[in-house]
Amino acid sequence: MSAGFFQLENIVVEGYRDDANDPIKKEVFSNIYEKMIYIVLSRHANNNNGVAYPSVATIAKEALCSVTTVKKCIKTLENKGLISKTLRPKSNKDNNTNLYIIKKLSEVFKDIFLPQSQGDVAQSQDDYKEELHKNNYIEDHDNNNFHAKTKFSKKVNPDLDTFEDLFKKIGISFTTKNQLSVKALLKKMSVKQVTNYLIETYENIKNSPGVINIAGLFSMKIAKQERQMTKTVRQNIAAKEKEIEATKQFEKRIHLNDPITVFNSLSPSERLKVEKKALSMFIAQSSADEKIMLTMRERNNLMYLNTIKLQLEKALKVEER
C-alpha cells in the first residue's frame, strides 16, 4: 500500500542540461499533458515494480485531459522510449486495459548531465566525448561474443564509416535506411550510447526465439528507436500479467459474491487481519465508537459485518495485493 506519496525523478519536473555549464535546461516532455500522463502512469506503477495498467479513462480523469489527448500522448511517450505499451486482448477479442512499463528517465538518458539534486555534481556530455576520444571501444563477439574495435576521431559528429564497420561485424547491410536511423539516434544520444544501443538491440534480437529475419527486425527497431526485450524481461512481464490477472479474478470474485461470504471463507488468522483493517477504516470514516462496534459484534455479528461491509470489500482487496 502507498503511504500517501510516491517517488518521482527530479528530471521529470526540472528537465536536464546537456552540459553542466549550460544555463538553459531542456524539457523531456513536449507539453504539460505528456508530463502529467507520465506522472499518472508512474503513480499507478509505484507498487508494481514499474508496471501499470490503468484504463485510458482513468488516466484522462487523473491527468485532467481528454481520452483523445491521453491516446496521443501515450503514443509520443512510446516513441520517445519513456514507456512501453502492451495490448492485453481478452478471449472475446476485445482489449483489456493496456499494460504499461514506465522507464526510469535516468536510464533512458544515461549519459546526459543529470544532477539528482541541486548540490549534486554530474559529468557533462563534453567529459564523455573527451573520454571517447582517448579510448577505443572494444567488445568481443565470436558466435556468442561480438568483436568490435572502434576508434573515434575528435569530430563532434563522427563519420558514419565507424558505424559501417560495426554493421559489417554483425552481418547487417548499412543501407540508406539504416544510415538515416543512425543519424537520427546521434541527434539524441552520444556515440557510445548509440554503439551500445545497436549492439544490445542486435544481441537481444539474435537471442530471441522464433525470429526469422534478424536484419529486417533490427532495421525496424532502430528506425523506431525501440529496444528489443530480452527473454528475462518477457518472462517478468508474463509473471506480472499473471499476478495482475489473479488480483483481478479475486476482485471479481468479491464483486460477484457477497464480501461477507468471501470474508467468512478465510482462515481465522486472515479474517482477523481483514476485520482489523475494515473496522479501522469504518471508524476513521464514520467516527463511530469502537466499544459500541465491538459490542454489536458480540450481540449480532451479522449486523456488525453488514455495517462494515464496504470496508470489508476494500480490506479484502488490499490484503490480496
Side-chain angles (χ1 to χ4, degrees):
M1 283 290 292
S2 169
F5 60 87
F6 70 103
Q7 292 185 333
L8 196 67
E9 292 175 288
N10 290 346
I11 186 175
V12 175
V13 177
E14 298 176 6
Y16 66 91
R17 293 185 177 94
D18 284 333
D19 185 283
N21 299 316
D22 188 350
I24 300 175
K25 287 185 178 181
K26 294 184 178 179
E27 259 288 346
V28 174
F29 306 96
S30 302
N31 53 62
I32 188 62
Y33 293 115
E34 203 173 275
K35 178 183 287 191
M36 278 302 302
I37 288 165
Y38 180 89
I39 292 173
V40 169
L41 289 174
S42 298
R43 168 66 185 87
H44 281 271
N46 185 46
N47 293 323
N48 288 315
N49 298 319
V51 177
Y53 48 96
S55 67
V56 173
T58 296
I59 299 171
K61 180 180 178 182
E62 295 178 0
L64 303 177
C65 64
S66 67
V67 168
T68 301
T69 299
V70 171
K71 291 179 179 179
K72 181 179 178 180
C73 290
I74 289 294
K75 187 174 182 180
T76 58
L77 288 170
E78 272 191 288
N79 291 339
K80 291 180 178 180
L82 306 186
I83 66 169
S84 63
K85 181 183 76 175
T86 301
L87 297 177
R88 296 193 298 146
K90 295 180 179 178
S91 56
N92 63 0
K93 296 184 179 180
D94 288 335
N95 282 331
N96 207 330
T97 57
N98 297 323
L99 183 75
Y100 303 97
I101 297 178
I102 290 68
K103 311 290 182 64
K104 289 186 177 180
L105 299 188
S106 56
E107 294 177 0
V108 176
F109 302 93
K110 289 180 181 177
D111 291 346
I112 63 175
F113 182 70
L114 283 175
Q116 296 305 304
S117 67
Q118 294 294 335
D120 284 349
V121 177
Q123 193 174 18
S124 70
Q125 182 80 334
D126 287 342
D127 293 330
Y128 281 107
K129 290 177 181 177
E130 184 177 350
E131 183 181 349
L132 287 172
H133 296 332
K134 296 177 181 177
N135 300 293
N136 291 335
Y137 176 81
I138 303 175
E139 186 163 343
D140 294 325
H141 175 62
D142 186 11
N143 294 326
N144 293 326
N145 297 317
F146 181 78
H147 289 293
K149 183 176 182 181
T150 309
K151 188 172 185 179
F152 300 112
S153 69
K154 292 185 179 180
K155 297 178 181 178
V156 175
N157 296 314
D159 196 298
L160 284 178
D161 289 345
T162 295
F163 292 97
E164 185 175 9
D165 291 339
L166 190 152
F167 273 72
K168 285 180 181 178
K169 293 291 185 182
I170 63 179
I172 293 179
S173 299
F174 199 40
T175 61
T176 301
K177 179 182 177 181
N178 287 338
Q179 290 177 38
L180 292 173
S181 297
V182 170
K183 287 181 178 178
L185 288 165
L186 286 170
K187 291 180 180 179
K188 296 182 178 181
M189 297 187 283
S190 67
V191 176
K192 182 178 180 180
Q193 283 182 296
V194 174
T195 303
N196 289 342
Y197 163 74
L198 293 173
I199 295 172
E200 175 192 313
T201 302
Y202 168 75
E203 291 289 349
N204 288 343
I205 290 174
K206 188 187 70 172
N207 294 323
S208 296
V211 177
I212 299 175
N213 186 357
I214 294 177
L217 181 57
F218 177 81
S219 295
M220 182 189 75
K221 287 286 182 183
I222 68 173
K224 293 183 177 181
Q225 299 182 10
E226 296 178 345
R227 292 186 182 273
Q228 175 71 10
M229 287 191 297
T230 63
K231 182 179 179 181
T232 302
V233 171
R234 288 197 299 272
Q235 289 175 339
N236 289 340
I237 291 175
K240 181 56 66 175
E241 285 187 321
K242 188 175 180 181
E243 180 184 331
I244 291 169
E245 188 59 32
T247 300
K248 284 197 167 186
Q249 289 300 322
F250 184 81
E251 291 179 356
K252 184 178 180 182
R253 179 187 165 201
I254 295 173
H255 284 301
L256 293 177
N257 298 285
D258 184 17
I260 296 175
T261 303
V262 177
F263 170 76
N264 287 329
S265 70
L266 301 176
S267 67
S269 61
E270 290 174 326
R271 283 203 303 273
L272 185 61
K273 288 170 65 177
V274 170
E275 182 185 353
K276 185 177 180 180
K277 287 181 180 178
L279 183 57
S280 295
M281 283 190 283
F282 179 81
I283 291 173
Q285 293 169 10
S286 64
S287 300
D289 188 289
E290 185 175 359
K291 289 183 179 179
I292 294 176
M293 294 301 298
L294 293 177
T295 300
M296 185 194 300
R297 181 178 184 270
E298 291 179 4
R299 295 182 179 180
N300 192 330
N301 188 54
L302 182 57
M303 180 185 293
Y304 164 76
L305 292 177
N306 274 308
T307 302
I308 62 171
K309 184 175 180 179
L310 292 176
Q311 289 73 26
L312 275 177
E313 182 174 345
K314 292 179 181 178
L316 282 165
K317 292 178 180 179
V318 170
E319 193 61 30
E320 174 63 16
R321 290 173 185 170

